[in-house]
Amino acid sequence: QVQLVESGGGLVQSGGSLRLSCLVSGLNWDYYAIGWFRQASVNKREGVSCIVGSDGNSYYADSVKGRFTISRDNATNTLYLHMNTLKPEDTAVYYCAAADSCAAGSRLYFHGVDYWGKGTLVTVSS
């Protein structure tokens, strides 16, 4: 059974930092692109960052480049999102997801999302 379990969300002031974690179990990382979505409202969900299991390449949405870093700990099967210089517009529920692939273009694209976590809330106060 595949499970993606997020943690690390919370309330932080503008300019602060948080680290999100996603514990991944039940799948082979090499066959997936695993990353983060966020949803600020019902109609506003965007890909934030992803890491391709087969080659280790990582991609970011333009809105977070230079501030967020995605990383993976193979020993603990944990995906991280290190978020620095947080802004109020980063406030959202952040979801971990496993997809067939991902790529960056005008935005960050995930192709064929197969699994989702339940999300963790990040609130950035001004």
Side-chain angles (χ1 to χ4, degrees), residues 60-123:
Y60 298 90
D62 287 346
S63 58
V64 306
K65 274 182 187 175
R67 300 188 298 123
F68 291 10
T69 303
I70 193 170
S71 66
R72 168 185 166 179
D73 185 334
N74 292 333
T76 61
N77 291 330
T78 303
L79 182 76
Y80 295 103
L81 186 67
H82 306 262
M83 306 187 295
N84 297 317
T85 320
L86 283 161
K87 305 175 182 179
E89 51 263 44
D90 294 317
T91 295
V93 178
Y94 285 71
Y95 297 91
C96 183
D100 296 337
S101 64
C102 67
S106 58
R107 58 186 177 91
L108 187 68
Y109 296 91
F110 284 76
H111 302 282
V113 177
D114 299 305
Y115 304 103
W116 291 91
K118 294 184 178 180
T120 186
L121 176 63
V122 173
T123 304

Side-chain angles (χ1 to χ4, degrees), residues 36-58:
W36 298 91
F37 281 90
R38 65 186 181 185
Q39 186 158 1
S41 61
V42 173
N43 296 318
K44 189 178 179 185
R45 182 169 66 188
E46 65 171 332
V48 175
S49 181
C50 64
I51 188 166
V52 178
S54 60
D55 59 20
N57 286 333
S58 57

